Amino acid sequence: MVRRGLSPYVTDRRIATVQILEPRSVRRHEAGPADLAAGLTGRQVGSVSRRGKYLWVTLDDGRALVVHLGMSGQLLLPDPGSPDEKHLRVRIVLEGADRELHFVDQRMFGGMHVDDLVGDGAGGHVPVTVQHIARDPLDPQFDDRDFSRRIRSRSSGIKRCLLDQSLVSGIGNIYADEALWRSRLHYDVPGERLTGPRVSELLTHVRDVMTDALAEGGTSFDSLYVNVNGESGWFDRSLHAYGREGEPCDRCGRPLVREPFMNRSSYRCPTCQRRPRSRV
Ligand SMILES: [Zn+2]
């Protein structure tokens, strides 16, 4: 979705100017803001890729501009002539393009830097920063069998696995709860207790949830509002589990419960998603 939104506007364009309005948004670029701006100016942009909360564009000097979206970061291609966004941090002007590329970030956990590319083990290249991040389940090169094998070798709970960026990316707390509800799985079921078909079923639900969410965020993407996280465009009415404490389960009618989980919350149906038996 993101690539479709961004590529037509940036690929093969040359970067005319880079204006860094907030130095903290480029703090990961160790050589500093001036070096980042100088390094980008005049470079031609190649392909656009995404992995988890990272998005990057390749540059004609063999490196890549890496954008980490953090909690609230967005790459926007605002309508020409529209006023600057309140939290605009970096403005990139492309030669011959009618739209500027804006990095907007309210909470400042995100940022951008230029990074070297390394082999990704599948014939392609990824920025060094992104090497340790697994592909997301909608990535055509996502390896289902490898994912299943790795999940089934883990003793940790399945939700913890789904949120582990080294196993799979792109699944946030909301997506995880929704996919687990659809799969009738408790979040604490150890990965090693799942059969291969059960992991496949879970993966199907994960993909359905992500696809639904992206489809519902469609208006956002249509207006070139690029949000890799995808969750913000998802409306409450689509949710079966997340945020529905005390409301009836859409399957069995029992009230859903909320439980603390990794400094956040997990929502589940106490009937459809029973707690696993403890190990003896
Ligand atoms: Zn239920």
Side-chain angles (χ1 to χ4, degrees):
M1 309 303 143
V2 168
R3 263 174 300 205
R4 193 175 59 199
L6 205 55
S7 272
Y9 287 89
V10 303
T11 298
D12 297 332
R13 299 268 185 204
R14 212 167 271 284
I15 297 173
T17 57
V18 177
Q19 185 185 9
I20 295 162
L21 300 149
E22 175 49 76
R24 281 181 292 167
S25 288
V26 300
R27 62 190 179 279
R28 289 183 183 84
H29 191 81
E30 287 175 12
D35 180 85
L36 180 71
L40 289 173
T41 303
R43 296 267 69 89
Q44 189 171 18
V45 172
S47 59
V48 181
S49 305
R50 174 178 75 88
R51 199 176 279 192
K53 288 189 172 183
Y54 289 92
L55 189 145
W56 68 94
V57 296
T58 57
L59 303 168
D60 62 354
D61 65 356
R63 299 190 295 169
L65 172 64
V66 180
V67 181
H68 182 237
L69 296 162
M71 299 289 286
S72 57
Q74 299 165 352
L75 272 181
L76 305 174
L77 292 156
D79 290 330
S82 56
D84 284 348
E85 300 82 356
K86 186 177 176 192
H87 302 289
L88 175 61
R89 308 303 185 193
V90 181
R91 179 203 314 274
I92 296 177
V93 179
L94 301 156
E95 280 179 15
D98 60 353
R99 288 174 189 269
E100 295 178 348
L101 183 60
H102 287 185
F103 178 65
V104 175
D105 190 8
Q106 182 181 353
R107 297 181 62 188
M108 306 276 291
F109 289 106
M112 56 172 63
H113 65 283
V114 172
D115 203 358
D116 291 328
L117 292 166
V118 291
D120 68 354
H125 293 87
V126 288
V128 173
T129 325
V130 182
Q131 264 187 112
H132 63 287
I133 308 286
R135 294 178 191 279
D136 76 65
L138 299 181
D139 187 320
Q141 293 197 56
F142 187 86
D143 186 337
D144 289 22
R145 288 176 63 182
D146 182 59
F147 173 76
S148 182
R149 185 180 56 74
R150 293 176 68 192
I151 285 276
R152 297 181 61 213
S153 69
R154 300 254 174 146
S155 57
S156 50
I158 185 62
K159 183 171 174 182
R160 198 174 278 267
C161 295
L162 292 179
L163 298 177
D164 180 347
Q165 299 278 292
S166 71
L167 266 177
V168 58
S169 66
I171 307 177
N173 200 39
I174 301 176
Y175 292 177
D177 278 6
E178 291 302 306
L180 291 171
W181 181 86
R182 292 187 189 199
S183 305
R184 302 177 190 233
L185 280 172
H186 188 286
Y187 54 81
D188 257 348
V189 173
E192 64 192 5
R193 285 205 205 167
L194 297 177
T195 62
R198 203 80 171 90
V199 176
S200 295
E201 189 191 340
L202 172 62
L203 202 45
T204 300
H205 287 305
V206 164
R207 288 189 171 118
D208 287 349
V209 164
M210 293 175 81
T211 306
D212 288 356
L214 287 170
E216 292 207 19
T219 52
S220 300
F221 287 109
D222 289 348
S223 59
L224 300 172
Y225 175 101
V226 181
N227 178 357
V228 166
N229 196 13
E231 296 184 345
S232 67
W234 211 16
F235 305 113
D236 289 349
R237 59 187 162 79
S238 317
L239 301 174
H240 292 291
Y242 187 85
R244 296 195 60 218
E245 181 183 15
E247 293 179 39
C249 171
D250 288 334
R251 218 165 17 218
C252 73
R254 280 279 303 275
L256 300 174
V257 296
R258 176 170 68 87
E259 291 157 328
F261 182 86
M262 290 171 72
N263 298 320
R264 304 177 77 173
S265 293
S266 270
Y267 297 85
R268 70 178 173 100
C269 171
T271 305
C272 299
Q273 299 167 269
R274 289 186 190 280
R275 182 172 291 282
R277 293 186 311 277
S278 56
R279 272 159 282 192
V280 188

